[in-house]
Amino acid sequence: MLWTLGNYSRFVRPGFVRIEASINSDKLMGSAYIDPLSKQKVVVLVNPEAKDIQVSLGGEGSENTSIQCYLTNEQSSLSPLTVSSIFQMPAKSVMTLVFN
Protein backbone atom coordinates (compact mmCIF):
# COMPACT_ATOMS: atom_id res chain seq x y z
CA MET A 1 0.00 0.00 0.00
CA LEU A 2 2.79 2.45 0.89
CA TRP A 3 4.54 1.98 -2.46
CA THR A 4 1.27 2.62 -4.29
CA LEU A 5 1.04 6.01 -2.62
CA GLY A 6 4.62 6.60 -3.79
CA ASN A 7 3.43 6.51 -7.40
CA TYR A 8 1.74 9.81 -6.59
CA SER A 9 3.84 11.41 -3.84
CA ARG A 10 7.23 10.79 -5.44
CA PHE A 11 6.32 12.20 -8.85
CA VAL A 12 3.36 14.58 -8.38
CA ARG A 13 5.06 17.32 -6.41
CA PRO A 14 3.67 20.44 -4.71
CA GLY A 15 2.71 23.02 -7.31
CA PHE A 16 1.76 20.47 -9.98
CA VAL A 17 -1.67 21.03 -11.51
CA ARG A 18 -4.08 18.27 -12.48
CA ILE A 19 -4.85 18.23 -16.21
CA GLU A 20 -7.29 16.33 -18.37
CA ALA A 21 -6.45 12.73 -19.23
CA SER A 22 -8.61 10.82 -21.70
CA ILE A 23 -8.71 7.11 -20.96
CA ASN A 24 -10.55 5.02 -23.51
CA SER A 25 -11.08 2.02 -21.26
CA ASP A 26 -13.64 1.31 -18.59
CA LYS A 27 -11.12 -1.03 -16.90
CA LEU A 28 -8.22 1.40 -16.51
CA MET A 29 -8.14 4.42 -14.19
CA GLY A 30 -5.77 7.33 -14.45
CA SER A 31 -4.95 10.94 -13.75
CA ALA A 32 -2.48 13.43 -15.22
CA TYR A 33 -0.54 16.37 -13.81
CA ILE A 34 1.78 19.10 -15.09
CA ASP A 35 4.49 21.17 -13.46
CA PRO A 36 3.67 24.72 -14.59
CA LEU A 37 7.34 25.77 -14.40
CA SER A 38 9.18 22.90 -16.11
CA LYS A 39 6.19 21.66 -18.19
CA GLN A 40 7.00 18.10 -17.06
CA LYS A 41 3.92 15.87 -17.25
CA VAL A 42 3.12 12.93 -14.99
CA VAL A 43 0.45 10.30 -15.68
CA VAL A 44 -0.54 7.74 -13.04
CA LEU A 45 -2.41 4.68 -14.32
CA VAL A 46 -4.17 2.07 -12.19
CA ASN A 47 -5.11 -1.40 -13.47
CA PRO A 48 -7.40 -3.00 -10.86
CA GLU A 49 -8.20 -5.91 -13.19
CA ALA A 50 -6.93 -9.47 -12.76
CA LYS A 51 -5.47 -9.41 -16.28
CA ASP A 52 -3.02 -7.25 -18.23
CA ILE A 53 -4.40 -4.33 -20.25
CA GLN A 54 -2.89 -2.96 -23.44
CA VAL A 55 -2.15 0.76 -23.23
CA SER A 56 -1.65 3.01 -26.23
CA LEU A 57 -0.30 6.49 -25.54
CA GLY A 58 -1.56 9.31 -27.69
CA GLY A 59 -2.41 12.97 -27.55
CA GLU A 60 -0.44 15.99 -26.47
CA GLY A 61 2.76 15.10 -24.65
CA SER A 62 2.97 11.51 -25.85
CA GLU A 63 5.36 12.50 -28.63
CA ASN A 64 8.03 13.46 -26.07
CA THR A 65 11.24 11.57 -26.58
CA SER A 66 11.86 10.87 -22.90
CA ILE A 67 9.36 8.73 -21.00
CA GLN A 68 10.32 7.34 -17.62
CA CYS A 69 8.07 4.60 -16.26
CA TYR A 70 7.73 3.18 -12.73
CA LEU A 71 5.70 0.09 -11.78
CA THR A 72 4.20 -0.95 -8.45
CA ASN A 73 2.53 -4.34 -7.95
CA GLU A 74 3.03 -7.45 -5.80
CA GLN A 75 6.48 -8.03 -7.29
CA SER A 76 7.70 -4.45 -7.82
CA SER A 77 7.95 -1.29 -5.76
CA LEU A 78 8.39 1.74 -8.01
CA SER A 79 10.58 -0.33 -10.33
CA PRO A 80 11.80 1.55 -13.41
CA LEU A 81 10.67 0.14 -16.75
CA THR A 82 11.14 0.97 -20.40
CA VAL A 83 7.92 1.45 -22.36
CA SER A 84 7.06 2.50 -25.88
CA SER A 85 3.87 4.19 -27.05
CA ILE A 86 2.06 0.82 -26.89
CA PHE A 87 2.65 -1.51 -23.94
CA GLN A 88 1.01 -4.09 -21.65
CA MET A 89 0.15 -2.84 -18.18
CA PRO A 90 0.35 -5.72 -15.68
CA ALA A 91 -2.70 -6.87 -13.77
CA LYS A 92 -3.40 -5.27 -10.40
CA SER A 93 -0.73 -2.62 -10.74
CA VAL A 94 -0.06 1.10 -10.58
CA MET A 95 2.20 2.72 -13.16
CA THR A 96 3.62 6.24 -13.29
CA LEU A 97 4.75 7.74 -16.59
CA VAL A 98 6.96 10.83 -16.46
CA PHE A 99 7.22 12.85 -19.70
CA ASN A 100 10.26 15.14 -19.87
Side-chain angles (χ1 to χ4, degrees):
M1 181 71 145
L2 175 63
W3 289 109
T4 299
L5 179 60
N7 281 82
Y8 292 91
S9 63
R10 182 174 173 188
F11 302 102
V12 181
R13 305 303 303 155
F16 276 50
V17 176
R18 188 164 181 183
I19 57 176
E20 182 179 354
S22 298
I23 301 189
N24 298 327
S25 171
D26 58 348
K27 298 178 182 183
L28 192 65
M29 297 181 288
S31 55
Y33 308 86
I34 189 168
D35 178 354
L37 299 176
S38 70
K39 304 302 181 200
Q40 178 186 63
K41 293 179 184 173
V42 175
V43 176
V44 181
L45 299 173
V46 179
N47 178 3
E49 297 293 311
K51 62 181 183 175
D52 294 357
I53 295 177
Q54 182 172 315
V55 176
S56 177
L57 299 176
E60 184 181 341
S62 64
E63 71 282 350
N64 290 8
T65 56
S66 175
I67 302 173
Q68 298 168 325
C69 180
Y70 301 88
L71 175 68
T72 299
N73 60 13
E74 283 187 355
Q75 296 80 31
S76 303
S77 298
L78 292 172
S79 297
L81 293 175
T82 301
V83 296
S84 62
S85 60
I86 299 174
F87 61 92
Q88 289 292 116
M89 184 167 176
K92 299 201 178 280
S93 67
V94 179
M95 187 177 282
T96 300
L97 303 168
V98 179
F99 297 85
N100 288 311

